Amino acid sequence: MQPRNSRLNSSALRGAVDLAAVKAAGEAAQKAEQARAERARQAAAAEASGVAPAQSADQLVIDVTEDTFEAEVVQRSTEVPVVIDFWAEWCGPCKQLSPVLEALAEEYAGRFVLAKIDVDSNQLLAEQFGIQGIPAVMAVVAGQLVPLFQGAESAANIRKVLDQLILVAEQRFGVGGGAAAAPGEAGAAAPQRPEDPALTAAHDVLDSGDLGGAIRAYRNVLTDQPGNTEAKLGLAQAELLQRIEGLDLQAVRAAAASDPKNVEVQLQAADLDLVGGHVEDAFGRLVDTVGRTAGEDRDAARLRLLELFEVIGTEDPRVTAARTALARVLF
């Protein structure tokens, strides 16, 4: 069989991956909205019966076990980002970090929930998350695992991580907390916008094969709508297609096999792997590259991996698995 041309029609790529990604994000946002509506209904019913809903700070920090993980973390993550603190009684750095996280949970007043997991008492959870050292901090948003950091960190650094987590949760999945919100506000749904002519035009430009024009068009949409999931996905796809223009599939793969330390050629090979449908190979190649490099080379491989996550869709199970693998080599 003759090898296929390494170039791929842009509409084929967009049709292959964007529907799954947009559908996943849309479903997550819908679940979050349903959860908020149910929470608002329960609050209204409690108020009507003269029973005030609990709003104590204790709700913001919860101890989670293997038995309660599904309800307290996975289900709760459809309403609010859940930050997980993996700790143990014997761990000195944990005793430094945990109070900082607990104080930040109160400071953020419901914009995230802190779930504390004792790794000694919940070894199965620690194994499933690939925890190799503690303290380790991860998050779950709309059922999706998001590795955050390992080791003790300052409150200032953690705030930066939390702010980014909350922004992504709100913009991509419509998941956001806010214990101070009134019941009516908690269930309020943002009206769905009709199809954006600028976004439709960007899709048309991408399908025409004008990759530079498509990139500009998607960036223009994102300038006005920074949280537009479909525009982010279209931009990631257009940039990927532009990167592989003119590349020779066989030559790149041969070069990548003969020189594993050449980061640039590994990035090219990963792009071609993804376009060819070898998603796990692309992710695995970049995770391996992150693991054996340092400094600017490591950052380049890590950032390219994050870009390819956007192309596939961040709720895809292959992305979730690759995020876990990335966390292991980083920490």
Side-chain angles (χ1 to χ4, degrees):
M1 180 183 297
Q2 293 295 320
R4 290 181 177 270
N5 191 303
S6 64
R7 295 196 49 189
L8 183 68
N9 180 273
S10 60
S11 60
L13 176 61
R14 189 161 69 85
V17 300
D18 69 345
L19 293 180
V22 172
K23 180 174 179 287
E27 288 177 349
Q30 184 178 23
K31 288 179 181 178
E33 184 54 48
Q34 290 171 346
R36 283 194 293 271
E38 176 60 20
R39 185 173 59 192
R41 186 194 67 76
Q42 293 175 356
E47 184 177 2
S49 64
V51 179
Q55 291 289 342
S56 69
D58 292 340
Q59 292 181 301
L60 305 179
V61 180
I62 53 178
D63 290 312
V64 173
T65 66
E66 292 164 3
D67 292 335
T68 63
F69 182 83
E70 177 69 24
E72 296 285 15
V73 175
V74 178
Q75 294 181 18
R76 191 185 291 257
S77 74
T78 64
E79 302 178 62
V80 61
V82 179
V83 175
I84 306 175
D85 175 18
F86 290 93
W87 70 284
E89 184 63 35
W90 49 264
C91 170
C94 297
K95 294 179 180 179
Q96 298 175 14
L97 178 65
S98 291
V100 176
L101 291 173
E102 292 168 13
L104 288 171
E106 295 188 23
E107 176 183 319
Y108 275 69
R111 298 180 68 196
F112 76 92
V113 170
L114 178 63
K116 298 174 63 64
I117 296 180
D118 182 339
V119 297
D120 287 340
S121 302
N122 301 277
Q123 295 181 12
L124 180 59
L125 284 177
E127 181 180 344
Q128 290 176 335
F129 276 85
I131 302 301
Q132 297 180 339
I134 56 174
V137 180
M138 298 188 179
V140 179
V141 180
Q144 177 189 329
L145 175 63
V146 183
L148 298 181
F149 61 89
Q150 185 175 22
E153 282 284 353
S154 69
N157 287 341
I158 297 173
R159 283 191 189 92
K160 294 177 183 178
V161 173
L162 291 174
D163 289 344
Q164 183 64 29
L165 172 70
I166 291 166
L167 180 64
V168 170
E170 290 175 345
Q171 291 188 346
R172 187 170 184 86
F173 296 107
V175 173
E185 295 171 343
Q192 287 192 333
R193 286 176 296 205
E195 178 68 17
D196 185 344
L199 185 59
T200 300
H203 289 334
D204 291 342
V205 175
L206 178 60
D207 289 342
S208 75
D210 180 3
L211 299 178
I215 289 170
R216 290 190 295 273
Y218 284 121
R219 285 177 177 168
N220 287 338
V221 173
L222 289 170
T223 297
D224 295 331
Q225 305 171 37
N228 191 306
T229 300
E230 195 169 353
K232 290 180 182 179
L233 185 61
L235 176 61
Q237 291 165 354
E239 290 176 335
L240 170 61
L241 289 167
Q242 187 178 63
R243 289 198 302 267
I244 67 167
E245 276 195 314
L247 293 181
D248 183 288
L249 176 63
Q250 301 304 325
V252 170
R253 285 186 172 169
S258 64
D259 190 2
K261 294 183 179 180
N262 187 325
V263 173
E264 182 58 34
V265 78
Q266 297 302 326
L267 300 185
Q268 293 176 350
D271 283 345
L272 290 171
D273 283 342
L274 194 83
V275 171
H278 306 292
V279 177
E280 291 93 341
D281 291 343
F283 290 169
R285 180 187 298 278
L286 291 176
V287 169
D288 290 344
T289 302
V290 170
R292 62 172 170 258
T293 55
E296 293 182 359
D297 285 345
R298 172 180 256 204
D299 285 341
R302 180 181 62 82
L303 291 174
R304 178 60 54 84
L305 182 57
L306 297 180
E307 290 174 5
L308 296 189
F309 287 167
E310 290 288 342
V311 174
I312 295 301
T314 55
E315 271 211 321
D316 189 289
R318 295 167 296 184
V319 172
T320 302
R323 282 192 188 279
T324 302
L326 177 62
R328 288 173 179 168
V329 298
L330 284 174
F331 305 123

